[in-house]
Amino acid sequence: MLSDIIDVLADPADGTALSGADDFARLVSESGHSYDVARQGYVTLAAGAGLRHQGDSMEMVLARETFLSRGHFAPFVEAVTGGVHDALDEAGVPENARPVIAEIGAGTGYYLAHTLDDVDGARGVGMDISVHAAKRLASCHPRVGAVVADVWERLPMRDRSIDVITVVFAPRNAAEFARVLTEDGQAVFLTADRGHLAELREPLGILDVEDGKIDRLIEQAAGHLTPVREPELIEFPMTLDKESIAAQIGMSPSARHIEPEELGRRIAQLPETLTVTGRAHLIRMGRA
Ligand SMILES: C[S@@+](CC[C@H](N)C(=O)[O-])C[C@H]1O[C@@H](n2cnc3c(N)ncnc32)[C@H](O)[C@@H]1O
């Protein structure tokens, strides 16, 4: 709930502290701005003219929910939760200190909810630019507060307030992450690597991940964040039926590039099940 994380939220317009008003029907800032809390429990924290993008559509969020609920990405979720544990351990933050974990581009909250189940007492900020995702985030875990915001703008979080930031297959803003992380806080990134879903690329005509993505991520963060460990490769086979394959494509940008009918035709030509590679790197970074 938003009341769990109110102490780390900030006015997107000027960074001043927010507090709940009218029994958390609104959040109001010290400078007098007011942000309505939606009926579903999330709040949109955007300054000025509001958000410039919409993020994932409802169809993409539903496809993501279908795919993830089948457990195909279990090794990824275990790796992210393990990374958060390691980050908290290295910073010397005990679980009973109610650490704050903020997931950016959190989608349905699959990763954040799993991590909060594992880290007793931790609180979660589930942030996404998509309202459809935020509706899911608001109910994904009792200790999550859901926020609609754009990662490319000033994050609506206070300086030095977040113990761990997680980003799973979503955009990163290293300068803002460095601002909101605590002194010893860490960012945990899971980033797809070349070879991820390789077996689907040719038959379905979807693009591969570009080469050198990990190096570029580290370069782009330079001056703000720096790796605390060598990136860790997570690679595993998944057995996917056609429904899971359709859900996987439906939750990715490929969904926007291939006509649904054509995609259906290509999926129909696949064998009943296919072994498909999941491949990503887990990168942990601290403030530079
Ligand atoms: C590939 S999905 C990953 C979702 C989730 N992390 C997962 O792996 O299940 C990318 C997510 O980032 C969100 N997103 C895209 N652009 C964003 C932005 N500028 N600010 C915040 N979130 C954004 C999308 O709405 C989407 O939910």
Side-chain angles (χ1 to χ4, degrees):
M1 290 195 306
L2 286 168
S3 54
D4 286 301
I5 55 157
I6 193 68
D7 57 317
V8 306
L9 295 182
D11 188 334
D14 53 29
T16 58
L18 288 168
S19 57
D22 303 334
D23 204 16
F24 272 88
R26 297 183 298 130
L27 303 187
V28 291
S29 71
E30 281 172 1
S31 56
H33 298 120
S34 174
Y35 300 92
D36 288 342
V37 175
R39 189 170 38 87
Q40 296 92 343
Y42 65 87
V43 64
T44 298
L45 294 177
L51 298 166
R52 282 176 296 162
H53 317 274
Q54 294 190 330
D56 279 11
S57 63
M58 186 162 73
E59 291 74 19
M60 290 172 83
V61 173
L62 288 174
R64 181 172 302 283
E65 205 160 53
T66 301
F67 184 85
L68 293 174
S69 70
R70 295 175 170 210
H72 298 306
F73 276 0
F76 285 155
V77 78
E78 294 301 338
V80 172
T81 295
V84 171
H85 268 293
D86 292 343
L88 290 173
D89 283 351
E90 285 169 23
V93 179
E95 291 187 7
N96 61 13
R98 302 184 71 225
V100 180
I101 299 159
E103 176 156 2
I104 311 298
T108 60
Y110 175 72
Y111 292 86
L112 185 57
H114 185 272
T115 298
L116 292 181
D117 271 342
D118 222 60
V119 186
D120 268 349
R123 305 172 280 152
V125 181
M127 200 197 104
D128 203 289
I129 201 169
S130 159
V131 165
H132 308 290
K135 289 179 185 169
R136 295 290 188 291
L137 285 169
S139 59
C140 77
H141 195 283
R143 282 179 269 125
V144 167
V147 176
V148 174
D150 185 349
V151 71
W152 299 121
E153 302 290 335
R154 182 191 169 88
L155 294 181
M157 296 169 204
R158 306 191 68 179
D159 296 0
R160 306 276 170 272
S161 63
I162 308 294
D163 294 282
V164 185
I165 289 174
T166 54
V167 186
V168 179
F169 307 145
R172 296 162 298 266
N173 179 342
E176 276 297 282
F177 293 174
R179 177 181 68 79
V180 302
L181 277 175
T182 56
E183 198 58 35
D184 295 320
Q186 288 185 18
V188 177
F189 300 136
L190 187 75
T191 303
D193 213 353
R194 205 169 177 83
H196 181 53
L197 308 177
E199 297 80 358
L200 294 179
R201 307 239 170 245
E202 219 184 278
L204 299 186
I206 54 178
L207 297 177
D208 202 345
V209 181
E210 73 269 30
D211 262 336
K213 201 170 169 190
I214 310 300
D215 292 341
R216 220 164 15 258
L217 185 161
I218 293 171
E219 270 165 35
Q220 283 165 354
H224 304 294
L225 299 173
T226 188
V228 295
R229 285 277 174 288
E230 281 295 300
E232 179 191 342
L233 176 66
I234 297 129
E235 185 171 22
F236 56 94
M238 302 174 276
T239 305
L240 301 185
D241 60 15
K242 292 181 183 181
E243 236 175 74
S244 295
I245 291 171
Q248 168 57 230
I249 303 305
M251 71 195 234
S252 73
S254 313
R256 298 194 181 116
H257 303 312
I258 311 173
E259 286 296 317
E261 270 179 29
E262 175 57 20
L263 185 61
R265 202 182 54 74
R266 292 182 197 173
I267 291 175
Q269 285 171 353
L270 294 175
E272 278 317 307
T273 61
L274 200 62
T275 301
V276 176
T277 304
R279 187 180 154 95
H281 270 93
L282 189 83
I283 306 165
R284 281 198 288 128
M285 300 180 100
R287 298 177 53 235

